[in-house]
Amino acid sequence: PVWGEKIVWEKDGSEMVLIAAGSFEMGDHLDNMAFALPVHTVTLDEFYMDSREVTNGQYGVFMEQTGHRKPSYWTNTSYNQADQPVVGVDWNDAVAYAKWAGKRLPTEAEWEYAARGGLVGKRYPRGDEISHDNANYRGTGGKDKWSKCAPVGSFEANGYGLYDMAGNVWEWCADWYDKNYYGNSPAKNPLGPDTGSRL
């Protein structure tokens, strides 16, 4: 592990990890997904990232303090436990939470670099294989297909000390999506296209 400095962010009580500056090959190395090609070298400055997904407990405090709307599934007991990640939020909800907390969403490049945890050319944050021992997908432990989120931090962290970087729930990034952006992306600290779509 190459875990960086850890801090506790006062506003929402989350643990954040300093991700060291560095370069990596961004894009799809293994599955030839057109929207993640071409693979290209990206260099990033250091940045902080939450070590765990935002929980329902944290999101509840945000809603109480701001009057922000409840997300989908807020009353569904398969998804609304205090230690589970909040689900049913759209990009605007995620941005509003980040602003309230005094943070920002990571760029796509930052998220991918952090998710890799220092590994090079691997399919998942812990290597080329994934199992229900190291990620939640298709239900906790694989028992209930798509029916439950695992509590945040239920599985071992990646090499940067970040949890659930594969599986559990989808996570939002700051960038717009443009299928041609990888071919035109700046080599240093790319922020994503100026316009685009969600997907």
Side-chain angles (χ1 to χ4, degrees):
V2 288
W3 297 11
E5 172 194 4
K6 293 182 182 181
I7 61 171
V8 175
W9 196 255
E10 187 175 341
K11 183 72 173 187
D12 66 356
S14 62
E15 178 186 80
M16 299 188 79
V17 177
L18 181 64
I19 308 298
S23 299
F24 76 112
E25 295 295 305
M26 184 174 178
D28 174 27
H29 296 256
L30 302 166
D31 297 319
N32 205 29
M33 295 182 291
F35 65 83
L37 293 171
V39 173
H40 56 292
T41 302
V42 170
T43 300
L44 297 172
D45 293 335
E46 68 180 17
F47 60 96
Y48 278 94
M49 185 133 176
D50 284 8
S51 66
R52 293 168 175 81
E53 298 157 325
V54 174
T55 65
N56 288 312
Q58 291 170 307
Y59 202 81
V61 172
F62 157 67
M63 290 190 304
E64 288 172 14
Q65 292 186 7
T66 64
H68 198 83
R69 69 177 184 89
K70 292 179 181 175
S72 305
Y73 308 106
W74 191 252
T75 59
N76 184 323
T77 57
S78 289
Y79 301 102
N80 72 357
Q81 305 308 302
D83 61 353
Q84 287 176 311
V86 64
V87 297
V89 295
D90 64 20
W91 184 87
N92 292 306
D93 296 328
V95 168
Y97 178 90
K99 284 184 178 178
W100 165 80
K103 303 185 219 181
R104 65 173 175 82
L105 296 181
T107 65
E108 180 186 3
E110 288 171 336
W111 190 92
E112 184 175 330
Y113 179 65
R116 292 178 182 275
L119 298 181
V120 177
K122 299 298 182 182
R123 189 177 301 258
Y124 302 107
R126 303 217 49 82
D128 282 330
E129 302 297 325
I130 194 167
S131 76
H132 294 293
D133 292 329
N134 54 36
N136 175 38
Y137 57 98
R138 295 193 178 115
T140 305
K143 298 172 189 168
D144 304 313
K145 187 175 182 181
W146 308 115
S147 66
K148 191 172 183 181
C149 295
V152 301
S154 292
F155 300 91
E156 187 177 350
N158 74 4
Y160 290 157
L162 306 175
Y163 297 85
D164 301 311
M165 297 305 282
N168 221 20
V169 297
W170 289 7
E171 299 179 9
W172 287 108
C173 293
D175 307 28
W176 285 105
Y177 171 70
D178 179 341
K179 66 181 180 180
N180 299 315
Y181 184 69
Y182 276 23
N184 306 312
S185 173
K188 186 170 175 67
N189 297 318
L191 300 176
D194 293 331
T195 61
S197 64
R198 292 192 311 177
L199 284 183

